[in-house]
Amino acid sequence: MAEQRRLDQMRHPEVEAYLDSAETPTALIPLGTTEQHGKHLAMGTDAYIPTEICERIAADVDALVGPPMNYGASDMHAGYRGITYLNYRTLATVVRDVAYSLVESGFTDVVFVSGHLTNDYAAKVGANWASHDLSDDAYVYAFPYWDALSGDDMEEYLSFDAGWHANVGETAAVMAIDEGLVDLDEVEVDDPDMPDDIENPAALLDPLLIGKGSFYRVSESGVWGDPSDATAERGEDYFETITHAVAELINEFQDIRADVYKR
């Protein structure tokens, strides 16, 4: 049986044994949302994906995985029925408090891995906030999982060509986790009209999607892209790409910081 790495599923003596033996006791915290992902895809998509990533890489980076945070800074989806969201200040405060308590209890590194674009803004504020109250030996940081991907991989799974939301990448990834969370018979295709005459169209995403109800105004269906070609096999390929990239990023930071943070 695989070694248990989920903090909430471990017994306290097991957690203590990990903290005593790990060279760099690390907690991975998946940050997600509960929001619409079109008619075909589960509302917990943005939590399922980073949770799966964290669980797959935990042994490789010698970390434990905390319970996912399923409520996020997703007020951009206000307008769709049944969604939930926290404001940015609340999420930043939660990130700060979770990080502080984990470091206080024995972890030296706390890494928040987000599956939703605007979670990242609040999470980085919360991580910075925590660092002001912690010793120099503690490291708290946050990033969305796709930050670890190469440009080519982004182009295939998350881009203007592949789509940005409830698209083929997200749909395939969730299918690799549990095909019962996806109904491809309900797929709708939506491709919001974006200008293509600027140097970097992706720079429009932040201002376009900041603000209450902003995505609701962009996409009536809740989809950005064409998810109809998604398969569990494609999702498994996606996870292999993501997990390698995210694990490499975390391991590199653990290796580099000893040389960089000298003062």
Side-chain angles (χ1 to χ4, degrees):
M1 188 173 73
E3 181 183 9
Q4 179 60 263
R5 291 275 178 170
R6 272 289 296 258
L7 181 62
D8 52 332
Q9 297 173 7
M10 297 171 69
R11 295 179 296 107
H12 188 238
E14 294 174 311
V15 177
E16 289 187 311
Y18 165 80
L19 293 172
D20 288 339
S21 63
E23 182 177 350
T24 307
T26 300
L28 306 177
I29 310 298
L31 287 183
T33 64
T34 302
E35 67 183 39
Q36 65 76 32
H37 278 74
K39 294 180 180 180
H40 70 287
L41 191 54
M43 290 179 65
T45 290
D46 290 347
Y48 291 131
I49 295 175
T51 301
E52 184 74 10
I53 293 167
C54 290
E55 290 181 348
R56 290 188 182 211
I57 69 171
D60 292 336
V61 301
D62 193 17
L64 301 187
V65 180
M69 295 170 58
N70 287 17
Y71 299 101
S74 56
D75 62 351
M76 64 173 68
H77 292 279
Y80 299 105
R81 300 180 69 190
I83 66 103
T84 64
Y85 61 85
L86 304 177
N87 69 45
Y88 287 45
R89 292 186 302 275
T90 300
L91 183 57
T93 300
V94 171
V95 166
R96 179 201 63 178
D97 289 353
V98 167
Y100 187 90
S101 63
L102 286 168
V103 172
E104 184 182 55
S105 68
F107 291 90
T108 63
D109 287 35
V110 182
V111 187
F112 294 88
V113 182
S114 176
H116 175 76
L117 176 66
T118 53
N119 276 0
D120 188 49
Y121 310 146
K124 284 176 176 173
V125 170
N128 177 271
W129 196 356
S131 73
H132 286 254
D133 298 320
L134 297 171
S135 72
D136 291 343
D137 295 329
Y139 298 89
V140 180
Y141 57 101
F143 63 91
Y145 67 81
W146 53 84
D147 269 7
L149 295 175
S150 70
D152 288 343
D153 290 328
M154 282 288 291
E155 187 67 25
E156 183 175 355
Y157 294 107
L158 283 170
S159 64
F160 280 101
D161 287 337
W164 293 106
H165 191 257
N167 69 337
V168 66
E170 288 192 323
T171 302
V174 173
M175 291 177 75
I177 297 169
D178 182 353
E179 292 193 61
L181 298 171
V182 180
D183 184 355
L184 290 181
D185 290 336
E186 292 290 334
V187 160
E188 294 180 286
V189 178
D190 200 350
D191 187 15
D193 187 23
M194 297 289 289
D196 56 8
D197 58 350
I198 66 172
E199 197 71 27
N200 179 18
L204 296 172
L205 284 179
D206 283 354
L208 180 71
L209 298 178
I210 288 292
K212 186 175 180 180
S214 57
F215 191 78
Y216 179 72
R217 294 191 291 272
V218 168
S219 172
E220 182 177 352
S221 69
V223 175
W224 190 333
D226 182 355
S228 57
D229 288 336
T231 64
E233 292 74 20
R234 184 168 183 175
E236 188 60 37
D237 288 343
Y238 190 19
F239 273 124
E240 288 184 14
T241 299
I242 302 169
T243 54
H244 173 77
V246 172
E248 185 176 52
L249 180 67
I250 293 172
N251 279 325
E252 285 294 333
F253 180 71
Q254 290 177 345
D255 290 342
I256 290 171
R257 74 175 194 210
D259 294 327
V260 175
Y261 292 159
K262 292 180 178 177
R263 293 181 295 178

